[in-house]
């Protein structure tokens, strides 16, 4: 996290401003936002420098009250810093006064638990490296807030696992998923009991995997998974009152929750229309072997430990789901697109996680288009909070331009239109009126005013899709790939690439318009 450096003179000036305003009868709760932000950043830097996030202000940390009191006397604890430096109440960041995400909580955000989860429903959230990247960026966020919002929510995994220091974690879902995931969340409040339910399936697959019998059971299991998916997404439907209900399925709430969880683990990789297998940069076959894909899902599923599941369940319980599908999100975005004052708007200074529908390829499926994307970028241009956006670089040059892989330039705009034209079977050609170059130009405008950064990861395995990067206004800490993998306790093989780039550098060197 990079902040302006405050010297002692700066701190005295800020304290004097606060004292003058309070002497004029202005209460703590009414102090200007710029002073609040300055106080927040100074307290954060002081805590960070002294490592006091490990201290418990109650004096019980490590059973040593004397040690805590000694450090508190030096102004290390948050409450002491506030009182000693600024004469402010110890709970000034709480709801009673400023209602801000406290510096101490922000430091706790930097902790990360890399739980091993078998989910397969989304390209970004289900990838442990991408989740670690999101956490690393969030740790560098510098706009004070206590709320993170996943505005194109799929399940909320990024908010649950990557934003541990935030008090409120809001996930926008369509009406059906709002019902399903709220049901799952409710049942998972007894995580050990729920784990025992899915453990029956896990143990069965573990035996089959150990006996090398996955190929023998694959056909029947995939058929069984298909029936589960139909039950969850079509059997759980609206009743006569217009509300979603599971009761007509004949299954219990706990059984439906189990099936929802299994669907999330064995969902097909919807983001890959043609899952190419690559050898020596040449296309070998149009599809990866079904057995290979299924075996990977099984392998991940049987690794799910009770400890990791309980850890995840606790984090999952902290999510707040809201029934706000993409059409409602777009209405809010359009309302705020040209608004430069968010103090009373629907969207304030929250940290936004934006897993935006990918250009053309996902537009029809999500009811999205280039015009909506421009509205989103206009809103972000004026937005006062931090944000992180996923971006698909299917028009991207390879990191090694002399030897690009098929995935680097898998789709041009024309090829994507042809795919959609064929896939939908209605023979209505899909036309996107906003060229990708216009979208990139809009990013340029934001970068000119705010400075954007791009976080890139490329896996050593060229058979994996390599098309996701993150675009953000957060000037997060630069980190080399080996240190990153060590920090997040992941295996490093020496061939992975991790880059932090300024937007202009990214666009100049890694983007082509075809």
């Amino acid at each position: 996290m990079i902040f302006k450096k405050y010297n002692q003179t700066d701190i005295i000036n800020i304290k004097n401003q606060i004292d003058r305003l309070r002497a004029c009868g202005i209460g703590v709760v009414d102090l200007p936002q710029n002073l609040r932000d300055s106080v927040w950043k100074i307290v954060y830097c002081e805590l960070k420098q002294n490592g006091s996030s490990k201290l418990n202000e109650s004096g019980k940390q490590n059973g040593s009250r004397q040690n805590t009191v000694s450090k508190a006397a030096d102004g290390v604890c948050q409450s002491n810093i506030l009182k000693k430096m600024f004469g402010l109440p110890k709970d000034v960041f709480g709801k009673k006064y400023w209602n801000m995400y406290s510096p101490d909580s922000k430091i706790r955000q930097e902790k990360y638990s890399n739980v091993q989860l078998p989910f397969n429903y989304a390209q970004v959230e289900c990838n442990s490296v991408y989740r670690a990247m999101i956490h690393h960026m969030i740790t560098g966020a510098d706009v004070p807030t206590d709320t993170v919002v996943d505005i194109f929510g799929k399940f909320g995994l990024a908010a649950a696992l990557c934003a541990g220091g935030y008090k409120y974690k809001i996930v926008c879902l369509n009406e059906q998923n709002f019902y399903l995931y709220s049901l799952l969340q409710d049942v998972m409040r007894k995580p050990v009991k729920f784990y025992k339910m899915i453990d029956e399936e896990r143990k069965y697959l573990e035996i089959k995997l150990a006996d090398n019998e996955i190929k023998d059971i694959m056909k029947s299991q995939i058929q069984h998974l298909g029936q589960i998916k139909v039950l969850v997404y079509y059997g759980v439907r609206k009743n006569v009152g217009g509300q979603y209900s599971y009761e007509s399925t004949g299954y219990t709430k706990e059984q439906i929750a189990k099936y929802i969880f299994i669907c999330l683990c064995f969902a097909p990789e919807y983001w890959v229309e043609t899952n190419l297998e690559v050898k020596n940069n040449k296309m070998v076959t149009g599809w990866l072997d079904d057995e290979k894909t299924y075996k990977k899902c099984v392998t991940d599923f049987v690794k799910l430990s009770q400890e990791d599941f309980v850890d995840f369940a606790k984090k999952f319980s902290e999510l707040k789901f809201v029934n706000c599908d993409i059409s409602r999100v777009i209405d809010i975005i359009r309302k705020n697109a040209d608004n430069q004052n968010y103090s009373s708007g629907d969207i304030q200074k929250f940290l936004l996680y934006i897993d935006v529908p990918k250009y053309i390829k996902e537009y029809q499926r999500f009811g999205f288009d280039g015009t909506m994307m421009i509205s989103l970028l206009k809103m972000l241009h004026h937005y006062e909070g931090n944000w992180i956006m996923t971006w698909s670089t299917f028009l991207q040059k390879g990191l090694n331009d002399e030897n690009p892989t098929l995935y680097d330039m898998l789709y041009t705009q024309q090829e994507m239109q042809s795919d959609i034209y064929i896939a939908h079977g209605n023979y209505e050609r899909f036309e996107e009126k906003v060229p990708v170059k216009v979208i990139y130009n809009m990013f340029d405008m934001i970068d000119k005013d705010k400075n954007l950064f791009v976080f890139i990861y490329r896996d050593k395995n060229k058979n994996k899709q390599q098309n996701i990067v993150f675009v953000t206004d957060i000037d997060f800490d630069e980190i080399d790939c080996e240190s990153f993998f060590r920090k997040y306790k992941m295996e490093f093989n020496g061939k992975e690439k991790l880059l932090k780039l300024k937007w202009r550098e990214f666009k100049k060197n890694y983007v082509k318009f075809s």
Side-chain angles (χ1 to χ4, degrees):
M1 181 179 292
I2 300 172
F3 285 139
K4 167 194 171 182
K5 292 184 178 179
Y6 291 88
N7 56 36
Q8 194 61 32
T9 302
D10 294 327
I11 295 172
I12 292 172
N13 287 337
I14 291 168
K15 183 181 185 307
N16 289 339
Q17 290 181 58
I18 292 172
D19 289 344
R20 284 196 297 269
L21 290 171
R22 295 185 70 181
C24 293
I26 295 176
V28 172
V29 73
D30 297 316
L31 289 174
Q33 189 64 46
N34 65 315
L35 287 180
R36 300 184 194 188
D37 292 346
S38 295
V39 169
W40 191 98
K41 292 173 183 179
I42 291 168
V43 173
Y44 173 86
C45 291
E46 186 73 13
L47 289 172
K48 184 75 172 175
Q49 181 179 350
N50 289 282
S52 68
S53 62
K54 298 177 183 178
L55 293 174
N56 184 327
E57 293 183 24
S58 68
K60 297 179 182 179
Q61 183 80 4
N62 298 324
S64 174
R65 179 171 178 80
Q66 183 177 358
N67 181 54
T68 304
V69 173
S70 174
K71 287 183 177 285
D74 294 330
V76 172
C77 292
Q78 180 169 288
S79 59
N80 272 47
I81 296 172
L82 288 166
K83 182 178 180 180
K84 183 177 178 180
M85 286 188 174
F86 306 107
L88 293 170
K90 65 179 182 180
D91 58 343
V92 73
F93 298 113
K95 279 190 175 182
K96 181 180 177 181
Y97 295 103
W98 294 351
N99 195 24
M100 295 170 68
Y101 181 35
S102 76
D104 190 66
S105 295
K106 186 64 177 177
I107 291 175
R108 287 197 292 271
Q109 158 64 27
E110 296 172 10
K111 297 180 181 179
Y112 182 74
S113 177
N114 188 20
V115 293
Q116 299 302 307
L117 298 169
F119 295 126
N120 194 54
Y121 64 89
Q123 183 179 10
V124 177
E125 291 186 6
C126 298
N127 184 304
S128 58
V129 177
Y130 289 153
R131 288 201 304 267
M133 292 170 72
I134 293 168
H135 176 267
H136 184 73
M137 287 182 285
I138 290 177
T139 298
D142 60 358
V143 178
T145 180
D146 62 0
T147 303
V148 60
V149 182
D150 182 351
I151 67 173
F152 291 111
K154 291 183 172 67
F155 180 58
L157 201 58
L161 299 182
C162 306
Y166 288 75
K167 188 172 184 179
Y168 304 103
K169 303 163 194 175
I170 300 171
V171 182
C172 301
L173 299 170
N174 63 37
E175 187 178 7
Q176 183 181 36
N177 284 342
F178 172 76
Y179 175 80
L180 292 174
Y181 299 156
S182 296
L183 183 152
L184 177 62
Q185 188 181 53
D186 188 47
V187 174
M188 281 177 56
R189 296 191 191 284
K190 296 180 178 178
V192 175
K193 181 179 179 180
F194 186 80
Y195 180 81
K196 289 179 180 178
M197 293 177 63
I198 60 175
D199 196 40
E200 297 172 4
E201 185 79 13
R202 192 196 66 79
K203 286 178 178 176
Y204 169 75
L205 292 174
E206 187 176 30
I207 293 170
K208 295 299 181 182
L209 188 65
D211 294 341
N212 202 25
E213 296 178 0
I214 289 298
K215 187 174 182 179
D216 298 334
I217 67 167
M218 184 184 71
K219 185 175 181 180
S220 62
Q221 282 292 297
I222 288 178
Q223 184 177 10
H224 176 58
L225 290 167
Q227 292 170 345
I228 288 176
K229 186 174 182 180
V230 169
L231 170 67
V232 169
Y233 291 101
Y234 296 95
V236 179
R237 55 183 183 269
K238 290 185 177 181
N239 56 28
V240 291
Q243 303 295 319
Y244 275 98
S245 172
Y246 68 89
E247 294 177 356
S248 63
T249 65
Y251 291 85
T252 66
K253 184 177 181 179
E254 289 73 20
Q255 287 173 319
I256 293 296
K258 173 185 173 181
Y259 291 148
I260 294 170
F261 188 86
I262 289 175
C263 282
L264 291 167
C265 295
F266 289 89
E269 299 171 322
Y270 71 81
W271 61 90
V272 182
E273 257 55 320
T274 49
N275 211 350
L276 300 180
E277 185 174 0
V278 180
K279 291 182 180 178
N280 299 322
N281 294 319
K282 293 182 179 180
M283 183 170 64
V284 177
T285 176
W287 297 90
L288 282 173
D289 183 34
D290 285 338
E291 181 184 353
K292 185 176 180 179
T293 304
Y294 176 70
K295 188 174 182 178
K296 178 186 179 300
C297 289
V298 170
T299 303
D300 291 342
F301 189 77
V302 300
K303 289 179 181 177
L304 180 62
S305 68
Q306 179 172 310
E307 181 182 4
D308 278 349
F309 180 80
V310 171
D311 190 4
F312 162 68
K314 180 180 178 181
K315 293 177 172 63
F316 186 64
S317 69
E318 296 171 355
L319 297 179
K320 177 177 175 54
F321 297 128
V322 295
N323 182 6
C324 184
D325 64 17
I326 197 166
S327 61
R328 171 62 179 148
V329 169
I330 294 306
D331 286 343
I332 295 172
I333 288 170
R334 283 175 169 159
K335 177 180 177 182
N336 289 277
D338 297 309
N339 178 20
Q340 298 187 39
N341 180 10
Y342 291 91
S343 60
S344 59
D346 292 299
I347 302 177
Q348 299 176 23
K349 282 189 176 181
F350 306 145
L351 171 63
L352 303 182
Y353 172 65
I354 311 165
D355 191 2
V356 68
K358 308 306 179 289
Y359 182 74
I360 295 184
K361 203 165 183 65
E362 290 187 349
Y363 278 5
Q364 279 197 337
R365 187 159 59 88
F366 286 103
F368 201 75
D369 61 29
T371 303
M372 295 177 184
M373 184 67 192
I374 294 298
S375 293
L376 172 61
L377 292 174
K378 283 183 177 179
M379 187 271 288
L380 294 177
H381 193 181
H382 302 307
Y383 190 60
E384 296 178 358
N386 288 132
W387 52 272
I388 299 169
M389 180 187 291
T390 61
W391 187 250
S392 181
T393 59
F394 40 73
L395 299 177
Q396 179 186 339
K397 294 180 181 178
L399 292 173
N400 180 357
D401 291 338
E402 296 179 359
N403 190 26
T405 70
L406 289 175
Y407 285 124
D408 289 320
M409 291 172 285
L410 187 58
Y411 285 103
T412 64
Q413 179 174 336
Q414 291 74 28
E415 287 171 329
M416 283 188 292
Q417 289 175 342
S418 298
D419 278 356
I420 295 171
Y421 170 70
I422 294 169
H424 282 76
N426 56 12
Y427 304 102
E428 294 179 4
R429 188 167 181 78
F430 179 77
E431 299 286 350
E432 173 48 50
K433 296 178 181 178
V434 179
V436 70
K437 190 168 186 175
V438 173
I439 294 175
Y440 273 105
N441 288 341
M442 192 68 207
F443 275 116
D444 288 342
M445 292 176 63
I446 302 174
D447 177 64
K448 185 177 179 180
D449 292 338
K450 292 194 171 186
N451 293 324
L452 298 181
F453 300 89
V454 181
F455 208 10
I456 300 176
Y457 170 73
R458 292 297 177 258
D459 194 89
K460 63 183 179 64
N461 183 357
K462 300 301 181 182
N463 284 336
K464 292 185 178 180
Q465 269 206 326
Q466 309 278 325
N467 67 318
I468 293 297
V469 301
F470 297 95
V471 183
T472 180
D473 70 336
I474 300 171
D475 188 3
F476 56 91
D477 291 342
E478 191 163 1
I479 185 171
D480 66 83
C481 198
E482 184 175 2
S483 299
F484 176 83
F485 272 69
R486 185 168 57 250
K487 173 184 176 182
Y488 288 102
K489 299 179 181 178
M490 296 182 291
E491 183 181 355
F492 178 67
N493 295 291
K495 296 182 180 180
E496 297 89 346
K497 295 180 183 295
L498 189 73
L499 296 173
K500 175 189 177 182
L501 301 174
K502 293 182 178 180
W503 171 261
R504 283 156 284 182
E505 183 182 3
F506 167 73
K507 185 178 177 185
K508 178 181 178 181
N509 296 317
Y510 301 106
V511 173
K512 77 175 283 230
F513 303 107
S514 300

